[in-house]
Amino acid sequence: MKTGIFTMKRVLAFTIAVVASMTMLAGGTQPVMTAQNASAESQAIKNNKKKISSAKDKISELEQKQADLDKQINSTKDDISKEEENQKAIQEQIETVQETILTLEDSITDLETEIADLEEAIAKSEIKIKNKRTEIENGVVDFKQRLRAMYVAGNSSYTDILIGSTDFYDMLMKIELVKRVADHDNTMIDGLVELKGEYESQEAELEANKTELETNKATLEEQKAYHTEQKKKLDDLYAKSQAVIDQLEEDKAAYEANKEQINKEQEDFEAQLQKLYKEQEQIKKKEEEERKKKEEEERKRREEEERKQQQQQQNNNGNSSSSNANGNTSNSGQSSTNNGDYNYTDKSQFTWPVPGYYHISYGVGWRWGAYHKGIDIWSPGIRGAKICAAAEGTVILVSNTCTHDYGKNGSCGCGGGYGNYCIIDHGNGYWTLYGHSQYMSVTQGQHVNKGDVLGIVGSTGYSTGDHLHFEVRLNGVAQNPSNYV
């Protein structure tokens, strides 16, 4: 009887321990965030990422458009006839850069929002992970307490419980109890495994968010730097556009103020050139006639010598006489510059006349009612640069009388507006003219080779600043030098 009572006490103690452990587990977990809230936050982050991705695509398109416009601006800036086209391209580029800046600002704002969202999500994830870890730790503690309660009750295993039964009824009760304890254990272990999986998943998500956060912070810094760069580019475009407009207006005003004098000087100069051209044609015609006359005289002299030699041979029974040979020499100038050093490739028989300086500030075409017959070559630091012969030829005209070597808004009246200049005859009807030099170092009648130094760049004559005015003429008619150099 006492044994049965003792056994019932042990069962009761075991039952109480199980119930207590189940009760402890039942109150051990509390949700940190509802699924609805988590889904809403996740969707907000996705929407923001979509906006950032869209902004990146737009920025890429705008960058490509800027590259195309830069190419167009570079291709038109050296041609005065395309100045209007160039200004339109610059204006379009200004609008494109402005749009890029606005898109960057939106993208930066979105990135900053995403960074803030990620930082908030990371903070919440850290709390969730901490709570999840606490749940797991509490579950393990509760499980240990249940096992301890069973041990205190005197049952170290389910087998001990069954073997210790006093009768069939007692066994059935214990089997049911074991079944319920086993179900509870399975549920408890499955719960702990599930908690562990959630914990690991949340940890992985946390690390991914931290990595994305660092990437976004780096992207944000890059975009801020690019934003600063774009603002500088915009300022440069504004300055460039305004500078060109101001220069054109200033040059136009100066031209209008001196229009009559300039036109008269140009007409007089053109008349002198046409006269010079005719004189050169007469000289060439006379030289050609003299050359033919000398060739004829030489031919007759040789025939006479041959006749005399034949007669002498007949008189001297085959004795022969000696003959003479003549040769020509020419002096060649020493070239001191080389366009090849600047990766410049000649287009034709002519080479670029100011090696190292390749910007054309004004080209051939009508300007304010007057026709500009050449190209104006200008680049920063061009003053004092060497002017070189575009091709081999003979210097037919040199003017070195102008002392007004500075930028001016009117003509000083020297050299027909060209100041100090020279003209080279290259043969076959081609001439080249080099104007506004500080001084020309060649003399009339001098033979020059391609690349020989003719003088140095200055601002004599009607010149608003240091540059070389370069012309190519064919049979007295001005050509577009850009087709030749």
Side-chain angles (χ1 to χ4, degrees):
M1 186 69 180
K2 289 183 180 179
T3 303
I5 294 172
F6 179 72
T7 303
M8 289 299 293
K9 286 182 178 180
R10 292 177 65 185
V11 171
L12 181 60
F14 174 74
T15 305
I16 292 170
V18 171
V19 171
S21 64
M22 292 176 67
T23 302
M24 285 188 289
L25 284 175
T29 59
Q30 291 182 355
V32 177
M33 180 185 296
T34 65
Q36 185 177 1
N37 289 341
S39 176
E41 288 193 2
S42 177
Q43 188 60 44
I45 292 175
K46 286 180 180 178
N47 291 339
N48 207 42
K49 286 181 178 178
K50 188 175 181 181
K51 288 172 65 180
I52 292 171
S53 177
S54 177
K56 285 181 179 178
D57 293 339
K58 187 174 182 180
I59 289 170
S60 296
E61 292 175 5
L62 290 169
E63 285 175 343
Q64 182 59 50
K65 186 176 181 181
Q66 284 192 41
D68 294 340
L69 286 168
D70 282 337
K71 186 176 180 181
Q72 182 180 349
I73 290 168
N74 288 331
S75 68
T76 56
K77 69 179 181 181
D78 292 341
D79 190 342
I80 192 67
S81 64
K82 295 183 179 180
E83 184 59 40
E84 185 177 353
E85 180 183 346
N86 179 261
Q87 287 302 306
K88 286 182 180 178
I90 290 175
Q91 185 59 40
E92 187 177 357
Q93 184 70 295
I94 288 172
E95 294 171 1
T96 304
V97 173
Q98 285 176 328
E99 187 177 0
T100 305
I101 289 172
L102 291 174
T103 306
L104 277 168
E105 288 174 350
D106 289 341
S107 179
I108 288 171
T109 300
D110 292 337
L111 268 172
E112 289 174 337
T113 300
E114 184 178 10
I115 287 171
D117 290 343
L118 281 170
E119 288 175 339
E120 184 179 355
I122 287 170
K124 288 181 179 179
S125 292
E126 288 174 339
I127 294 172
K128 287 169 65 179
I129 289 171
K130 182 180 178 181
N131 290 337
K132 195 69 67 178
R133 185 180 182 86
T134 302
E135 286 183 49
I136 294 171
E137 290 174 349
N138 289 340
V140 171
V141 169
D142 290 343
F143 189 70
K144 286 180 178 179
Q145 287 178 349
R146 189 186 68 75
L147 292 177
R148 184 175 181 279
M150 288 178 64
Y151 177 77
V152 170
N155 298 98
S156 58
S157 68
Y158 298 145
T159 304
D160 291 339
I161 295 171
L162 295 175
I163 293 174
S165 301
T166 57
D167 54 32
F168 183 71
Y169 176 77
D170 186 29
M171 181 182 291
L172 287 177
M173 289 295 293
K174 289 183 176 180
I175 288 173
E176 178 63 24
L177 185 59
V178 168
K179 178 184 176 184
R180 296 195 178 193
V181 170
D183 290 342
H184 176 266
D185 284 350
N186 287 336
T187 303
M188 185 177 186
I189 292 170
D190 289 343
L192 289 173
V193 170
E194 184 179 350
L195 285 174
K196 180 176 178 293
E198 291 176 1
Y199 175 80
E200 291 173 347
S201 174
Q202 289 173 2
E203 264 198 330
E205 182 183 351
L206 176 63
E207 291 303 317
N209 283 344
K210 285 182 177 179
T211 301
E212 184 177 357
L213 177 63
E214 293 305 316
T215 301
N216 285 348
K217 283 182 176 179
T219 302
L220 179 62
E221 292 305 315
E222 290 175 2
Q223 289 200 350
K224 284 181 177 179
Y226 187 46
H227 181 266
T228 301
E229 179 185 324
Q230 287 290 293
K231 288 185 73 175
K232 183 179 183 302
K233 182 174 182 178
L234 182 62
D235 291 340
D236 291 343
L237 283 168
Y238 272 127
K240 181 179 179 181
S241 176
Q242 192 59 46
V244 171
I245 293 171
D246 291 345
Q247 185 62 53
L248 287 173
E249 291 298 327
E250 184 180 336
D251 291 348
K252 182 178 180 181
Y255 174 80
E256 292 294 339
N258 298 271
K259 187 174 181 178
E260 292 184 6
Q261 180 185 355
I262 293 168
N263 287 344
K264 186 177 185 307
E265 287 178 356
Q266 288 183 345
E267 289 173 2
D268 291 344
F269 187 80
E270 282 299 315
Q272 292 175 17
L273 286 187
Q274 293 304 318
K275 181 181 178 182
L276 178 62
Y277 176 73
K278 291 178 181 179
E279 290 174 352
Q280 289 295 310
E281 289 299 300
Q282 290 296 323
I283 292 172
K284 288 179 181 179
K285 184 177 179 181
K286 186 176 180 180
E287 289 176 347
E288 182 66 14
E289 290 174 352
E290 290 179 353
R291 183 185 64 79
K292 290 181 178 179
K293 182 179 179 181
K294 287 181 179 179
E295 288 179 352
E296 181 65 19
E297 290 175 352
E298 180 65 18
R299 184 184 64 78
K300 290 180 180 180
R301 185 186 66 78
R302 287 180 179 177
E303 288 178 352
E304 181 64 22
E305 284 186 355
E306 289 175 359
R307 186 187 65 77
K308 288 180 179 180
Q309 286 175 1
Q310 290 174 358
Q311 185 176 4
Q312 185 69 24
Q313 286 174 351
Q314 291 175 359
N315 293 335
N316 296 324
N317 296 321
N319 291 332
S320 62
S321 63
S322 61
S323 61
N324 296 320
N326 295 321
N328 293 322
T329 60
S330 62
N331 296 321
S332 61
Q334 182 180 1
S335 177
S336 60
T337 56
N338 184 4
N339 276 306
D341 293 339
Y342 305 94
N343 298 319
Y344 173 86
T345 303
D346 292 344
K347 288 183 181 179
S348 64
Q349 70 193 70
F350 298 107
T351 193
W352 190 262
V354 195
Y357 301 88
Y358 300 98
H359 176 72
I360 300 175
S361 56
Y362 286 116
V364 172
W366 288 98
R367 181 176 63 180
W368 313 315
Y371 191 77
H372 192 242
K373 297 181 175 67
I375 57 175
D376 289 346
I377 300 171
W378 172 87
S379 289
I382 196 172
R383 181 172 179 80
K386 294 175 181 177
I387 303 169
C388 299
E392 180 184 6
T394 302
V395 179
I396 58 174
L397 188 61
V398 179
S399 177
N400 257 330
T401 60
C402 185
T403 59
H404 313 104
D405 184 22
Y406 48 84
K408 55 193 80 68
N409 291 326
S411 177
C412 58
C414 299
Y418 291 95
N420 296 330
Y421 69 92
C422 78
I423 297 175
I424 300 175
D425 185 344
H426 303 282
N428 299 319
Y430 282 104
W431 288 5
T432 52
L433 181 150
Y434 311 78
H436 306 306
S437 172
Q438 288 187 44
Y439 62 85
M440 305 306 301
S441 56
V442 291
T443 58
Q444 189 168 330
Q446 180 179 339
H447 178 83
V448 293
N449 285 329
K450 186 176 184 177
D452 282 354
V453 177
L454 308 175
I456 60 174
V457 174
S459 187
T460 54
Y462 178 32
S463 171
T464 57
D466 299 309
H467 71 284
L468 172 69
H469 177 86
F470 177 68
E471 294 183 14
V472 175
R473 299 199 176 211
L474 178 60
N475 297 326
V477 179
Q479 308 293 306
N480 188 344
S482 295
N483 296 331
Y484 295 88
V485 296

